[in-house]
């Protein structure tokens, strides 16, 4: 055997061992969640109608500012009343524009098997977003780097129940801001074959992202299929600024999906009342979505219609607040009423460490989003300090939580009741079902990160807590990660684009 052949066989054995490790700790990828559970309409239809009337009162009488000359010109040409930056939109005009918003659309992935369906009775889960700080694998709290972003892309790629990857999972503070988006987009396409989110910090950066997507998917495909979600925020109360509008108009013009999310916190940027906050959030989101339809009728959009809650002690965000749950349920009902896909968040926590309360907040948020019937749910993994920090350990645990939620909402075993009851003839009175053929073939879902052993065994094995199990699991996942295949020509094209644009931006 020659040296080259020996080396090739060693590499093949190494890849086989890596795949075996990965398969042992990662379940099969789960598709878009098609919710089998009934949506929880928490509020009567009369409240939905009342909220819509409040929305119309805001957009028709009070108005919302668009601090961008191009968008103001578009509104003026379309028939809205424009007074300086303040835009008032007749209700009939607003509702007419919204008629072209797709109630459901497919977000394309570079691996078609990973494409996600957003809207209708579907729910898609995405990762955290925008954290400038990480709690790393050594429990150190520090600024996030590009290496951290790449690691979170890897963890998200391997998470079975997370359908969307990419975007600013963490802010890579070691990369200069003018170049940051280039590395984020390129590495997103290289390290995952799931759908991704696009940068929104300027029109030029959005254009770069669209150009890079054309290298990956082909120009004609991108022009006719959404391959990005772009998350833009209004500056509540009642302001859409120039930066966000520039990104929105760029993506909408290219037929890409835009998530229009008011920056909403009851008691700070919105009234301290959930129904009022939802009315304001809907008004701010809907006028932005309507602007997208002026630019390109049929441009896919997602409506951020719930609201967060502020702590009156600090002014900072609160997670798992009853008020935010009320807003979440009503906001999802409003989105269904408008027939526009909705967005909520899950997994967020204000804890500084993945402690007991972090688990409470993440679990309650995850369950509430699915019960509400949200269509796009992000911040599902790792979020600490009210979205300021991403933790590796919490990310690993949260992603298993979302897998449990996915299975709960997308499946049940009602059809198997008669088959299961037939095993009563196999078990003597007072016996057990552990060894029956049915149990062996249909045993319940088995989480990996909870310890189901006895106290004595847990004690003997080192008293490993859930946060430490999450840290160890995150390390194991990263060690087992294998990058999805990417055409070398596409990889080279992405690299060349990043190098060229970096040089131009330096100049």
């Amino acid at each position: 055997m020659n040296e080259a052949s020996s080396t090739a066989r060693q590499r093949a054995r190494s890849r086989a061992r890596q795949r075996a490790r990965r398969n042992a700790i990662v379940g099969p990828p789960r598709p878009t969640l098609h919710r089998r559970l009934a949506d929880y309409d928490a509020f009567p239809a009369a409240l939905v109608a009342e909220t819509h009337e409040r929305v119309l009162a805001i957009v028709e009488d009070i108005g919302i500012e668009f601090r961008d000359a191009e968008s103001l010109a578009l509104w003026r040409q379309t028939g809205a009343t424009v007074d300086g930056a303040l835009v008032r939109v007749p209700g009939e005009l607003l509702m007419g524009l919204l008629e072209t918003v797709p109630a459901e659309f497919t977000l394309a992935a570079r691996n078609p098997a990973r494409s996600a369906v957003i809207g209708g009775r579907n729910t898609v889960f995405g990762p955290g977003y925008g954290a400038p700080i990480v709690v790393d694998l050594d429990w150190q709290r520090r600024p996030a780097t590009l290496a951290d972003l790449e690691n979170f892309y890897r963890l998200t790629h391997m998470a079975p129940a997370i359908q969307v990857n990419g975007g600013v999972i963490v802010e890579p503070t070691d990369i200069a801001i003018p170049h940051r988006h280039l590395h984020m987009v390129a590495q997103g396409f290289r390290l995952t074959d799931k759908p991704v989110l696009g940068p929104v910090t300027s029109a030029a950066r959005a254009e770069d992202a669209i150009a890079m997507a054309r290298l990956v998917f082909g120009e004609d495909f991108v022009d006719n299929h959404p391959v990005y979600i772009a998350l833009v925020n209004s500056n509540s109360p009642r302001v859409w600024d120039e930066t966000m509008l520039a990104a929105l108009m760029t993506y909408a013009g290219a037929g890409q999906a835009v998530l229009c999310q008011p920056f909403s916190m009851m008691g700070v940027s919105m009234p301290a009342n959930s129904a009022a906050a939802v009315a304001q959030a809907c008004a701010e989101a809907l006028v932005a979505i309507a602007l997208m339809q002026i630019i390109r009728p049929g441009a896919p959009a997602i409506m951020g219609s719930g609201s967060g809650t502020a702590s009156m002690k600090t002014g900072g965000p609160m997670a798992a607040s009853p008020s935010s749950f009320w807003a979440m349920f009503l906001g999802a009902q409003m989105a269904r009423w408008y027939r526009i896909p909705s967005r909520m968040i899950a997994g967020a926590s204000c804890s500084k460490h993945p402690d007991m309360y972090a688990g409470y907040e993440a679990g309650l948020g995850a369950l509430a989003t699915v019960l509400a019937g949200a269509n796009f749910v992000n911040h599902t993994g790792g979020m600490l300090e009210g979205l300021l920090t991403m933790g590796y350990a919490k990310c690993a645990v949260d992603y298993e939580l979302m897998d449990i939620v996915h299975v709960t909402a997308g499946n049940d075993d009602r059809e198997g009741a008669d088959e299961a009851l037939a095993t009563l003839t196999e078990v003597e009175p007072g016996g057990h079902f552990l060894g029956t053929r049915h149990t062996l073939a249909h045993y319940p879902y088995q989480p990996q990160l909870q310890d189901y052993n006895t106290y004595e065994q847990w004690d003997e094995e080192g008293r490993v807590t859930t946060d430490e199990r999450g840290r160890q699991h995150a390390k194991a996942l990263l060690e087992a990660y294998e990058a999805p295949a990417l055409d070398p020509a596409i990889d080279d094209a992405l690299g060349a684009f990043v190098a060229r644009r970096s040089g131009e931006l330096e100049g």
Side-chain angles (χ1 to χ4, degrees):
M1 182 187 299
N2 61 38
E3 185 176 341
S5 177
S6 176
T7 300
R9 290 193 177 189
Q10 288 173 358
R11 287 175 178 168
R13 284 195 294 268
S14 176
R15 288 194 296 269
R17 287 193 296 269
Q18 187 175 27
R19 278 193 292 271
R21 287 197 302 271
R22 185 176 66 251
N23 293 338
I25 60 175
V26 179
R30 301 196 186 279
T32 298
L33 168 61
H34 187 76
R35 300 186 306 277
R36 194 169 189 185
L37 296 180
D39 293 331
Y40 177 44
D41 286 334
F43 297 102
L47 180 59
V48 173
E50 289 172 14
T51 304
H52 172 62
E53 293 303 317
R54 292 168 180 147
V55 170
L56 294 183
I58 294 169
V59 299
E60 288 182 327
D61 303 328
I62 301 174
I64 293 169
E65 289 195 0
F66 283 76
R67 297 180 180 177
D68 168 80
E70 184 179 352
S71 62
L72 290 172
L74 289 170
W75 276 121
R76 192 178 290 110
Q77 293 166 12
T78 308
T81 300
V82 179
D83 182 6
L86 189 69
V87 175
R88 296 183 178 89
V89 184
E92 186 175 352
L93 172 61
L94 176 72
M95 297 307 293
L97 290 170
L98 296 178
E99 287 180 359
T100 59
V101 181
E104 184 178 298
F105 65 92
T106 297
L107 181 67
R110 68 176 180 86
N111 175 357
R114 301 275 201 162
S115 295
V117 182
I118 297 176
R121 292 200 50 76
N122 304 299
T123 296
V124 166
F125 297 126
Y129 190 93
I133 298 168
V134 299
V135 175
D136 66 20
L137 290 167
D138 297 317
W139 297 118
Q140 298 299 307
R141 181 182 182 273
R142 56 171 175 75
T145 65
L146 180 60
D148 293 310
L149 178 64
E150 291 169 346
N151 278 340
F152 283 113
Y153 285 165
R154 294 181 179 107
L155 290 173
T156 304
H157 176 72
M158 298 180 77
I162 310 301
Q163 291 79 35
V164 174
N165 200 341
V168 197
I169 300 180
V170 295
E171 193 74 47
T173 59
D174 58 335
I175 303 294
I177 291 175
H179 305 164
R180 194 173 289 175
H181 67 291
L182 299 171
H183 295 276
M184 287 164 38
V185 172
Q187 292 306 89
F189 282 132
R190 286 176 172 136
L191 296 174
T192 184
D193 59 3
K194 295 181 178 182
V196 296
L197 277 71
V200 296
T201 48
S202 75
R205 292 167 193 165
E207 288 166 357
D208 282 342
I210 293 166
M212 294 170 81
R214 288 174 175 150
L215 296 175
V216 174
F217 292 91
E219 186 165 345
D220 290 344
F221 188 91
V222 172
D223 288 344
N224 293 284
H225 301 85
V227 302
Y228 283 120
I229 295 175
L231 197 170
V232 298
N233 293 116
S234 61
N235 289 334
S236 303
R238 298 187 300 117
V239 173
W240 282 98
D241 68 26
E242 185 177 18
T243 299
M244 293 288 98
L245 288 169
L248 177 147
M249 290 188 286
T250 301
Y251 282 111
Q256 300 304 301
V258 182
L259 194 174
C260 299
Q261 177 65 61
F263 192 78
S264 53
M265 282 206 300
M266 280 180 265
V268 176
S269 59
M270 297 201 163
N273 173 277
S274 60
V278 168
Q280 181 187 324
C282 288
E284 292 179 13
L286 289 174
V287 291
I289 294 171
L291 177 63
M292 292 174 61
Q293 306 311 303
I294 297 172
I295 296 165
R296 180 164 173 164
I302 303 173
M303 175 180 169
S305 54
S307 178
T309 310
S311 166
M312 295 295 100
K313 296 179 181 178
T314 66
M318 293 195 299
S321 158
S323 295
S324 65
F325 292 146
W326 299 334
M328 185 183 298
F329 291 134
L330 180 56
Q333 285 184 251
M334 295 305 301
R336 284 194 288 276
W337 195 83
Y338 291 116
R339 297 186 67 256
I340 298 174
S342 62
R343 180 257 187 161
M344 305 293 169
I345 70 171
S349 173
C350 294
S351 289
K352 316 310 179 277
H353 181 84
D355 56 16
M356 182 181 290
Y357 221 98
Y360 286 159
E361 291 176 327
L364 286 168
L367 185 59
T369 58
V370 174
L371 289 177
N375 299 118
F376 179 67
V377 180
N378 66 339
H379 293 306
T380 59
M383 303 307 295
L384 295 162
E385 290 190 75
L387 308 184
L388 186 65
T389 297
M390 274 285 292
Y392 280 79
K394 186 172 184 291
C395 187
V397 177
D398 285 347
Y399 281 169
E400 181 167 275
L401 166 68
M402 299 314 300
D403 197 54
I404 294 169
V405 170
H406 189 293
V407 173
T408 302
N411 302 276
D412 60 50
D413 57 359
R414 71 185 80 169
E415 285 84 4
D418 290 337
E419 179 187 356
L421 283 172
T423 62
L424 285 170
T425 61
E426 303 174 30
V427 178
E428 296 294 331
H432 63 77
F433 291 81
L434 288 171
T436 65
R437 290 188 300 273
H438 183 273
T439 297
L440 294 174
H442 300 88
Y443 57 83
Y445 180 96
Q446 306 291 302
Q448 294 188 53
L449 296 182
Q450 179 58 285
D451 187 336
Y452 296 100
N453 293 321
T454 64
Y455 176 89
E456 289 75 15
Q457 189 170 351
W458 174 74
D459 181 56
E460 184 178 325
E461 293 177 352
R463 294 172 169 252
V464 180
T465 56
T466 299
D467 53 353
E468 176 59 21
R469 289 170 71 88
R471 185 182 78 93
Q472 294 173 7
H473 190 58
K475 290 180 68 174
L477 288 169
L478 291 172
E479 289 170 1
Y481 169 82
E482 183 177 343
L486 177 64
D487 185 332
I490 293 175
D491 191 16
D492 290 344
L494 287 171
F497 185 93
V498 172
R500 177 178 65 78
R501 284 293 290 139
S502 294
E504 292 169 355
L505 291 169
E506 285 177 350

